[in-house]
Amino acid sequence: ITPGRPVWDNTDLTYRILNYTPDMAQADVDRAIEKAFKVWSDVTPLKFTRIYDGPSDIEIAFETGDHGDNSPFDGPDGLLAHAFQPGKGIGGDTHFDDDEKWSKGTNGYNLFLVAAHEFGHSLGLSHSDDPGALMFPNYSNDDPNTFHLPQDDINAIQDLYGPTTNAVKPTGPTTPTICDSKIIFDAIITLRGEIMFFTDRFFWRKHPQTPQAELNFIKSFWSSLPTGIEAAYENPETDQILFFKGSKYWALSGYEVLYGYPKSIYQLGFPKTVKKIDAAVYIEETQKTYFFVGDKYWSYDEERKVLDKDFPREIAEDFPGITQKVHAVFQKNGFLYFFSGQRQYEFSITSKKVMRLMKNNSWLGC
Amino acid sequence: FPAVTEANIMERNMQLAETYLKRYYDLETDGKHFMRRTSSSPFSEKIRQMQEFFGLKVTGKLDSETVRVMQQPRCGVPDVASYS
């Protein structure tokens, strides 16, 4: 909430688009702005009406450099936009830096995402320190097509204007906290010496030399990957990482998705009864990849590019002690780390037994 | 090309940090640079505030992680007071 709690006296607000950016078709700008206002009207009694003449509550303009409001823009990147808190005159107005490349997609700064953030300021919100919140100050490469207003932002705007009068009370995604002992990871991979823990739209990146893991949006590294990854593994021989969701999988080298992906998991040889992969891990010693599905697992020969015969086998038979569904798994220093529910099992590949039981977030410095 | 020395990088990061802290954390400088060096200087105090907000290790020092966050594109904070 902006200090002093500035709010609009009424909930029927008007907005006017004063000019356009050359980066986008005007209709796309109109749509992005309208969609950005809807983010807030969906969760409050607020209504936004566009007007074309005369002063409106929220005036929207594309400006560059010093544009006369004592808050000059700074050229490409850096400062993207700003908005004034509710009030008369310039209050509520929103300015976008037209030295940026604006886009309706992700090839440039997505106008919808930035506008939704700025209108939060126009309504009286300040910045949030929740890295998953819309009102977090730094630009996030969230997916504009699957955007849902996070719960942190819903709580804040409803604190100012109350909940929507609609029957359905929308809720939003929350940001995982690093030492939440109940966290269940969707997938975990090693990557060139780092370890990455995936959950929902995010992943924690743990570098061996840094004490603290760093939270990132999946989209900020791999914009074409879906969120909600279900399994993933690194093949160090090919320097590739493979991500699985449903019956599709993506192969990436570094940040780039390789040509021709996503592919179907049935091209790897899985039967149609397999609807999704729970977890996967590459075993360097044998150059095999294990795929875990339910209470069974398959072995895939990365050399011959085929599933091995005599599979699937029971997980509990070959990995004694791993009796529940495997959510994620990775290999390090001759051990397999199985993540099953809220438990992590350190399994020795050589002695074929569980050596330690740990908390899921033990690698994150908790 | 002339090698970009460590000192150049440090100076460049200091410039970046000073611009960032002035713009988003109301850092006031009277143009002197020596004030940045002491750990209790306004500069270090503002660095701490920024590190706290972004969940970074709070050191008051301009480390690489802090510089990385400062380099990320972000929303501005318009100067309402002086405008009005």
Side-chain angles (χ1 to χ4, degrees):
Chain A
I1 306 290
T2 299
R5 220 182 149 81
V7 287
W8 294 99
D9 301 336
N10 70 77
T11 54
D12 282 11
L13 300 172
T14 58
Y15 72 92
R16 187 161 62 117
I17 300 174
L18 303 185
N19 64 4
Y20 286 87
T21 171
D23 302 338
M24 293 167 65
Q26 290 193 5
D28 289 335
V29 171
D30 293 347
R31 247 190 305 278
I33 297 296
E34 185 181 354
K35 189 180 165 192
F37 277 120
K38 189 172 182 298
V39 161
W40 300 109
S41 55
D42 279 353
V43 297
T44 63
L46 290 164
K47 284 185 182 50
F48 300 101
T49 306
R50 182 177 179 179
I51 63 174
Y52 295 81
D53 301 305
S56 64
D57 297 313
I58 297 172
E59 311 256 289
I60 296 157
F62 291 86
E63 308 282 4
T64 55
D66 188 344
H67 50 284
D69 64 4
N70 201 54
S71 304
F73 284 139
D74 60 352
D77 299 321
L79 213 175
L80 303 182
H82 60 216
F84 289 81
Q85 63 192 50
K88 298 203 181 331
I90 200 169
D93 291 2
T94 298
H95 301 154
F96 298 98
D97 183 350
D98 215 359
D99 279 329
E100 312 301 348
K101 168 95 171 62
W102 293 105
S103 158
K104 67 174 181 181
T106 50
N107 58 329
Y109 294 111
N110 182 269
L111 181 61
F112 155 68
L113 287 174
V114 177
H117 173 103
E118 295 308 330
F119 297 156
H121 291 314
S122 305
L123 297 170
L125 297 187
S126 186
H127 283 138
S128 169
D129 60 5
D130 174 338
L134 172 64
M135 295 312 291
F136 189 67
N138 289 2
Y139 181 76
S140 76
N141 291 274
D142 208 345
D143 184 351
N145 302 314
T146 59
F147 176 81
H148 285 288
L149 187 62
Q151 193 59 44
D152 183 73
D153 304 291
I154 293 176
N155 298 343
I157 198 72
Q158 292 186 346
D159 184 87
L160 288 179
Y161 296 98
T164 172
T165 49
N166 297 344
V168 176
K169 305 293 179 203
T171 56
T174 55
T175 304
T177 47
I178 192 166
C179 288
D180 171 4
S181 58
K182 292 187 292 302
I183 194 158
I184 292 179
F185 295 116
D186 297 337
I188 301 172
I189 59 168
T190 52
L191 178 55
R192 300 176 184 167
E194 299 189 40
I195 310 177
M196 298 183 164
F197 300 79
F198 291 81
T199 179
D200 187 26
R201 303 178 285 154
F202 305 94
F203 68 95
W204 270 291
R205 179 181 179 188
K206 181 68 179 70
H207 189 282
Q209 264 85 40
T210 55
Q212 215 173 354
E214 171 199 297
L215 184 67
N216 293 281
F217 279 90
I218 292 174
K219 292 283 179 191
S220 60
F221 272 59
W222 302 290
S223 58
S224 55
L225 269 190
T227 54
I229 295 291
E230 290 159 349
Y233 72 94
E234 174 193 27
N235 181 338
E237 313 296 329
T238 58
D239 190 28
Q240 285 182 0
I241 35 181
L242 290 90
F243 290 95
F244 295 75
K245 180 171 186 179
S247 62
K248 289 187 187 150
Y249 74 103
W250 292 254
L252 295 92
S253 181
Y255 295 107
E256 298 306 318
V257 177
L258 298 185
Y259 179 73
Y261 287 88
K263 289 183 177 174
S264 158
I265 60 173
Y266 304 119
Q267 290 173 260
L268 294 170
F270 286 105
K272 292 288 185 183
T273 49
V274 172
K275 300 302 178 202
K276 71 188 205 51
I277 307 292
D278 294 337
V281 62
Y282 175 79
I283 309 294
E284 289 185 48
E285 294 74 6
T286 60
Q287 298 201 351
K288 306 276 189 184
T289 295
Y290 291 158
F291 289 99
F292 297 87
V293 180
D295 58 0
K296 294 183 176 51
Y297 80 106
W298 272 262
S299 169
Y300 180 80
D301 187 312
E302 294 279 359
E303 281 282 298
R304 294 182 297 120
K305 297 292 175 210
V306 289
L307 287 175
D308 288 321
K309 289 196 175 10
D310 310 328
F311 283 86
R313 292 172 58 85
E314 294 287 326
I315 295 173
E317 206 164 308
D318 296 348
F319 303 94
I322 309 300
T323 55
Q324 309 290 318
K325 170 182 170 180
V326 177
H327 286 104
V329 59
F330 71 93
Q331 176 187 6
K332 195 162 181 65
N333 307 331
F335 291 102
L336 286 178
Y337 291 91
F338 286 99
F339 290 71
S340 181
Q342 295 176 11
R343 282 263 176 258
Q344 180 190 176
Y345 301 80
E346 180 184 72
F347 186 90
S348 164
I349 296 174
T350 46
S351 53
K352 284 201 163 306
K353 65 180 183 180
V354 172
M355 309 303 279
R356 278 194 297 167
L357 203 48
M358 299 132 86
K359 287 192 299 180
N360 273 357
N361 44 30
S362 63
W363 295 86
L364 298 175
C366 294
Chain B
F1 292 90
V4 177
T5 64
E6 188 68 27
N8 293 123
I9 294 173
M10 276 298 290
E11 187 47 38
R12 199 171 49 195
N13 287 344
M14 278 298 188
Q15 283 301 332
L16 166 91
E18 190 162 306
T19 305
Y20 186 94
L21 295 172
K22 273 196 276 190
R23 177 173 287 153
Y24 303 116
Y25 284 84
D26 301 327
L27 170 70
E28 282 166 21
T29 63
D30 46 9
K32 294 194 196 79
H33 288 190
F34 65 89
M35 63 189 285
R36 301 179 200 158
R37 306 293 178 208
T38 59
S39 65
S40 61
S41 70
F43 184 80
S44 297
E45 186 40 45
K46 295 295 186 183
I47 289 265
R48 271 191 204 90
Q49 279 178 33
M50 180 258 177
Q51 288 170 332
E52 178 97 34
F53 181 91
F54 284 98
L56 302 171
K57 203 156 178 289
V58 180
T59 61
K61 293 190 179 67
L62 192 61
D63 54 44
S64 58
E65 193 51 22
T66 303
V67 171
R68 185 183 69 84
V69 173
M70 285 180 169
Q71 288 168 329
Q72 288 176 6
R74 61 162 287 165
C75 164
V77 178
D79 190 346
V80 180
S82 42
Y83 178 79
S84 48

